[in-house]
Amino acid sequence: MQEQRLLTARVLHRWSFGPRPGQYANTLTTGAAATAAAQLILSTNPVNAELDVARTPVPVFERVNKFTATDRQAAILRRSEQQHQMTVWWLDRMVTTQQPLVERMVWFWHGHWATSINKVQDPRLMLKQNDTFRATALGDFIAQTKLLLRDPAMLVWLDGTGNRKGHPNENLGRELLELFTMGVGNYLELDVREAARALTGWKIDLDDVTSSFNAAQFDNTSKTVFNTTRNFDVDSLTDHVMQQPATAEFLVRRLWLRHMSETAPADAQMRALVNSMAGTFNMQLLVATMVNQTATELGDRPLAKAPVPWLVGVLRSLELTIGGFDLLEQKRVIRHLYSMGQVPFVPPSVAGWPSGGAWFTSTAAQSRLELSQRLLRHAKLAWLARVKPAARPTALADHLGVPVWTRKTADILSSKRNSAADAYILAINAPEYLVGV
């Protein structure tokens, strides 16, 4: 039973955002393998996608222009409002989604193709990219890469619109190889320069939020990438990069380190996971293999909760949404995320967010505690208040999806000195919740 508690908790926390009230206890009756299967089934049901859209419709924004100094200030304010609305919308989508595996993968891709509103400056472009992540979350990584290399937000973020024939800009080409597909040590500077030439000729239209190919600005000559010479363009370059042995392993490693363990997979595990894609880059196959491994393989695989998955998990457990708060309270919550170091649409760099112990600084811990206290003011905890203090550890473990508390944590949670809210706050800040699952 203890093994099933651990495995089931890992499925719910690592491939979703944690359980809703009652979900963990219910899934324990069927087991971790059935829980994994259910997550995969939910991810392919179009009705669930329609429910998500109905419950949390994507915001629609007008284009904001800058003209006079006065207009510029108004534009800055309006963009700030749009960014806030966009951030609240996505957080609430994660909380309420009927396709938690899909939305968890959207979050993964946002960190993988890390793009920041701070440079893009146009929430409409960020929403378009976010929609691309959702549409391709469990699809073909090759097709996703081709879309992202012509994505308007990405073209702004990595200076793709300034990449022209005769004046190549290497930013997008370099990050394609270093951070998105292959990793350091698997390419030469020549490959970066030639890849940049293959990516020339793209422009964006801010009126309709699209990108288009400008043949006049494309370097229509031969390029040599990985010892192959041909007239590469965005699509043929992508296909060529995907044929390199390092690419599949890089993708597997990135997904593993975010969802399975903070220790890289062993060689045998790596080979098995690469083979699970059956010679393709089908993310449905790879993710299904990892989800099923999560449900069946024990082992010491601690994985720290980053601030956004932590917040979303807490909100799910309390049946709260940020959109249900007033505007001032919404802004307070997001300010806490800034203090903790992770806010949707604002990665710190093209490398994305860190992982592991980076989230457990004293500043982050203090902000997490303060945010917990704020959230609990909105919570309805009559069910927990009715539980005798001695039974609180078990009740909270079943509610939050925690396999087991240490004796020290259990003693604190069962203390008569703590109110129901105090116990809840302590539980969602306990090591067993933050790292144990």
Side-chain angles (χ1 to χ4, degrees), residues 86-98:
M86 174 177 69
T87 303
V88 170
W89 163 77
W90 192 17
L91 288 167
D92 282 354
R93 171 66 64 91
M94 290 187 242
V95 171
T96 63
T97 181
Q98 299 300 300

Side-chain angles (χ1 to χ4, degrees), residues 285-424:
L285 295 176
L286 177 58
V287 170
T289 300
M290 287 193 180
V291 172
N292 287 324
Q293 282 188 11
T294 304
T296 57
E297 296 183 4
L298 291 166
D300 185 18
R301 293 180 177 175
L303 199 63
K305 278 187 173 68
V308 166
W310 173 84
L311 171 62
V312 172
V314 171
L315 289 168
R316 283 167 67 87
S317 76
L318 293 171
E319 298 184 296
L320 297 173
T321 61
I322 298 177
F325 302 155
D326 63 40
L327 180 60
L328 184 58
E329 189 74 340
Q330 292 173 14
K331 290 183 176 181
R332 290 187 184 116
V333 170
I334 293 172
R335 277 202 300 271
H336 278 295
L337 284 179
Y338 273 105
S339 296
M340 294 161 68
Q342 189 174 57
V343 181
F345 302 109
V346 196
S349 72
V350 68
W353 287 281
S355 60
W359 302 123
F360 299 122
T361 64
S362 57
T363 299
Q366 180 64 31
S367 190
R368 185 170 56 246
L369 179 60
E370 291 173 357
L371 179 53
S372 301
Q373 294 166 336
R374 182 168 297 283
L375 295 176
L376 264 294
R377 294 171 193 158
H378 301 274
K380 297 178 180 179
L381 292 181
W383 67 272
L384 186 58
R386 290 192 294 268
V387 175
K388 293 181 179 179
R392 278 181 189 164
T394 298
L396 284 166
D398 289 347
H399 184 80
L400 293 170
V402 174
V404 63
W405 304 110
T406 63
R407 174 58 64 85
K408 180 179 180 180
T409 300
D411 287 346
I412 295 172
L413 295 177
S414 61
S415 172
K416 294 180 180 179
R417 293 193 299 272
N418 293 321
S419 67
D422 291 336
Y424 207 103

Side-chain angles (χ1 to χ4, degrees), residues 102-403:
V102 171
E103 210 59 35
R104 187 68 190 238
M105 286 301 297
V106 175
W107 177 249
F108 167 79
W109 290 125
H110 178 43
H112 182 84
W113 299 95
T115 308
S116 174
I117 185 66
N118 286 345
K119 180 174 179 180
V120 175
Q121 290 288 301
D122 193 330
R124 299 173 308 147
L125 272 60
M126 299 298 294
L127 283 173
K128 182 181 179 71
Q129 185 185 82
N130 186 269
D131 184 61
T132 297
F133 293 149
R134 194 165 290 104
T136 62
L138 292 169
D140 180 2
F141 180 62
I142 300 175
Q144 184 191 67
T145 300
K146 291 176 180 179
L147 289 171
L148 267 294
L149 290 177
R150 45 171 58 88
D151 172 72
M154 183 63 70
L155 291 172
V156 174
W157 174 236
L158 292 179
D159 307 307
T161 55
N163 188 19
R164 300 183 298 274
K165 177 178 66 177
H167 301 281
N169 185 301
E170 296 179 1
N171 283 1
L172 183 55
R174 180 176 299 281
E175 306 309 350
L176 169 67
L177 303 183
E178 179 179 332
L179 294 174
F180 303 151
T181 60
M182 297 184 70
V184 175
N186 293 301
Y187 59 87
L188 302 175
E189 284 301 305
L190 173 64
D191 299 318
V192 172
R193 292 194 295 271
E194 297 292 88
R197 293 173 55 219
L199 298 175
T200 53
W202 287 89
K203 62 180 181 178
I204 62 175
D205 186 329
L206 290 176
D207 286 326
D208 59 7
V209 196
T210 59
S211 64
S212 60
F213 182 67
N214 180 1
Q217 294 298 333
F218 173 63
D219 188 333
N220 196 26
T221 61
S222 294
K223 301 101 178 168
T224 300
V225 184
F226 304 123
N227 299 317
T228 297
T229 301
R230 59 182 291 191
N231 187 9
F232 287 107
D233 61 10
V234 62
D235 290 336
S236 58
L237 173 66
T238 298
D239 291 334
H240 189 49
V241 168
M242 297 298 167
Q243 292 168 4
Q244 307 310 306
T247 305
E249 292 189 1
F250 178 83
L251 180 60
V252 166
R253 188 177 299 107
R254 287 293 290 265
L255 191 61
W256 175 280
L257 292 173
R258 297 295 180 177
H259 291 269
M260 298 289 284
S261 173
E262 291 170 8
T263 302
D267 291 345
Q269 290 171 318
M270 175 64 77
R271 287 193 298 271
L273 289 167
V274 169
N275 291 337
S276 74
M277 291 188 286
T280 71
F281 279 87
N282 185 321
M283 294 304 300
Q284 180 82 36
L285 295 176
L286 177 58
V287 170
T289 300
M290 287 193 180
V291 172
N292 287 324
Q293 282 188 11
T294 304
T296 57
E297 296 183 4
L298 291 166
D300 185 18
R301 293 180 177 175
L303 199 63
K305 278 187 173 68
V308 166
W310 173 84
L311 171 62
V312 172
V314 171
L315 289 168
R316 283 167 67 87
S317 76
L318 293 171
E319 298 184 296
L320 297 173
T321 61
I322 298 177
F325 302 155
D326 63 40
L327 180 60
L328 184 58
E329 189 74 340
Q330 292 173 14
K331 290 183 176 181
R332 290 187 184 116
V333 170
I334 293 172
R335 277 202 300 271
H336 278 295
L337 284 179
Y338 273 105
S339 296
M340 294 161 68
Q342 189 174 57
V343 181
F345 302 109
V346 196
S349 72
V350 68
W353 287 281
S355 60
W359 302 123
F360 299 122
T361 64
S362 57
T363 299
Q366 180 64 31
S367 190
R368 185 170 56 246
L369 179 60
E370 291 173 357
L371 179 53
S372 301
Q373 294 166 336
R374 182 168 297 283
L375 295 176
L376 264 294
R377 294 171 193 158
H378 301 274
K380 297 178 180 179
L381 292 181
W383 67 272
L384 186 58
R386 290 192 294 268
V387 175
K388 293 181 179 179
R392 278 181 189 164
T394 298
L396 284 166
D398 289 347
H399 184 80
L400 293 170
V402 174

